[in-house]
Structure formats: structure tokens, C-alpha cells
Amino acid sequence: MIGAFWNCRGAGKSGMASCLTDIINTNKVDFIGLQETMKKNYKTSFFRRFDPHSEFRWEWIPSIGKSGGILCGLRLETLEVIDVVRGKYILQINLFDKVKKCKWALLVVYGAAHDENKPEFLVELSSFCNRINNPYLVGGDFNIIRHCGEKNKKTHLSHFSNVFNVVIHLLGLREIFMTGGCFTWSNKQEHPTLEKLDRVLMSSDWEDLYTLVSVVKMVKDLSDH
């Protein structure tokens, strides 16, 4: 099972189709989850540019104005979509793995960017995960660091970081190691602030299903954030 998560900062921007084509074909992904798509609606012609043979099923949460938005593609050869649950910050897709002959859930997350909305996001995250009866994988841009080492400048952990860690602990989730650097976000200043806001978490029974899991591909480009 190969997956990719990417805060693309605009699914309709120039060059996006070629980037998605490269990600899908080079990595042979079974699923791909995009966050911060900044798109409300999608036409068939949009998908045809990088999925010309309709090998994927595409599901999404529209952006609110030019803010947010999630898009997820599932390879039909390996994954069957059972149903889809849409929240404000989470797109949950309940799946049947045609190879392993089992059910599991994929949650693509784009967490609240502003502090006043983070409690709402954390409640939604906890609520979604607690309702799942099958193994699940949850990944994307959570917009919260977990510890001080996830920021390149001296900082104190916020209340939201503490609550986020408690939620992860109570749900029994484990974070999958991510290669390619310590940080996934930059403010793009001359002396930039760097943070790790993107991550992939798995339930223990999902790890039991995919025992050889090492890294779920987290596409990241600091220049795009």
C-alpha cells in the first residue's frame, strides 16, 4: 500500500497537473490526499489531465472561499470505496482493500489554521476517530506541532499541542516516520520560521494489517507553504 499526502496550496495553480501526474506515476500510489486545495468544484476535465484513464475515484471537501479544501484519489484497482464521511476539517473514506480482503478507513486532514478554530478541529478529529470500528490511517496538515523540536526557533508548547498529544495518546495512535527533513512549513522569510505541521498517524490494528509500513509518502515543498 503506497500513499501520498500533500498540502498543495492550490489544486488549480499552474503546473499542478504535471506534479500530480509525476506523483501518481512515479510512486504508483494507491491513494493520494491533497490539502488546502482552494477549490470549490471540480470538472471532469480537471481530473483528465492527470488521471486520463479514470484509474482513480476522486472525493473532496470544497474550500470555503479561497480557504481550505481537501481532495482525495483512490486507485480503483486496489481500493473499493464503501462510503464517504465529510466533516469541516476531515474527509473520511471507508475502504475495502481488494488485495488484503479487508476494510479500513482513510482520513485526510486539513486542520484549522487559526487558533480560534483549533478546539473545533480537535473535537472533530477525536469524534471521527472514536466512531471508526475498522483499522484507520489519518494524515495531512494538522497545523499543530507536537513538541518544541518541531519548530526551528525557541518556543513554548501551546495548549493546543498538549490537547493534540492527549488525543493521539487516548486514541492509541502511532506516528509513522517521515523522511526528507524535520520541517514541512516555512514562512518564507529571510530567516524563516520552520515547523512540522504535516504528519501521518495510524491505529494499532492498521499497523497490524500493514506490518511492513515504514514511511507513508508525505509530499512536502517548503517553498509552497
Side-chain angles (χ1 to χ4, degrees):
M1 183 62 57
I2 300 176
F5 294 96
W6 183 16
N7 183 326
C8 64
R9 198 167 176 81
K13 65 185 179 183
S14 177
M16 180 56 62
S18 60
C19 286
L20 287 172
T21 299
D22 183 61
I23 292 169
I24 290 170
N25 294 337
T26 301
N27 298 284
K28 305 297 181 185
V29 297
D30 297 287
F31 67 84
I32 182 169
L34 306 180
Q35 311 96 52
E36 202 172 2
T37 57
M38 302 180 184
K39 279 184 71 68
K40 289 185 177 181
N41 299 299
Y42 298 86
K43 296 181 179 179
T44 303
S45 57
F46 173 84
F47 299 114
R48 194 178 296 124
R49 288 182 290 168
F50 49 86
D51 184 21
H53 305 296
S54 299
E55 297 178 73
F56 287 75
R57 173 167 167 175
W58 297 93
E59 298 289 345
W60 62 88
I61 294 175
S63 63
I64 301 174
K66 293 184 177 180
S67 175
I70 294 173
L71 175 65
C72 185
L74 298 309
R75 188 179 291 277
L76 296 171
E77 182 181 5
T78 55
L79 297 171
E80 176 185 340
V81 176
I82 299 171
D83 59 21
V84 180
V85 184
R86 292 175 174 84
K88 185 174 181 180
Y89 305 98
I90 300 171
L91 176 63
Q92 176 184 333
I93 304 178
N94 297 313
L95 301 164
F96 178 74
D97 186 318
K98 296 180 181 180
V99 177
K100 287 187 171 289
K101 308 297 182 183
C102 64
K103 295 179 181 179
W104 61 276
L106 172 65
L107 286 74
V108 183
V109 170
Y110 182 59
H114 303 292
D115 284 355
E116 60 265 29
N117 297 321
K118 291 187 189 300
E120 181 184 41
F121 161 62
L122 290 167
V123 168
E124 182 173 296
L125 176 64
S126 178
S127 177
F128 265 59
C129 293
N130 274 309
R131 290 199 302 262
I132 300 174
N133 296 318
N134 294 313
Y136 65 94
L137 185 74
V138 50
D141 184 348
F142 291 79
N143 271 311
I144 302 176
I145 63 172
R146 293 190 63 187
H147 55 79
C148 294
E150 293 186 341
K151 189 170 184 176
N152 71 326
K153 295 181 179 179
K154 188 175 181 179
T155 187
H156 296 286
L157 281 185
S158 70
H159 169 69
F160 307 116
S161 295
N162 294 327
V163 174
F164 185 35
N165 282 320
V166 168
V167 169
I168 291 172
H169 173 72
L170 291 177
L171 291 170
L173 300 177
R174 190 168 79 84
E175 185 163 347
I176 300 175
F177 177 71
M178 185 177 69
T179 62
C182 300
F183 309 109
T184 64
W185 177 87
S186 169
N187 64 355
K188 299 188 290 185
Q189 301 299 311
E190 183 177 355
H191 301 288
T193 296
L194 305 174
E195 296 180 344
K196 179 182 177 182
L197 303 178
D198 307 75
R199 66 191 76 248
V200 182
L201 306 166
M202 60 183 171
S203 64
S204 58
D205 47 2
W206 194 91
E207 185 175 8
D208 290 340
L209 277 177
Y210 301 96
T211 54
L212 298 179
V213 65
S214 56
V215 178
V216 170
K217 182 72 171 180
M218 177 74 72
V219 181
K220 62 190 184 72
D221 183 349
L222 294 182
S223 65
D224 265 355
H225 284 62

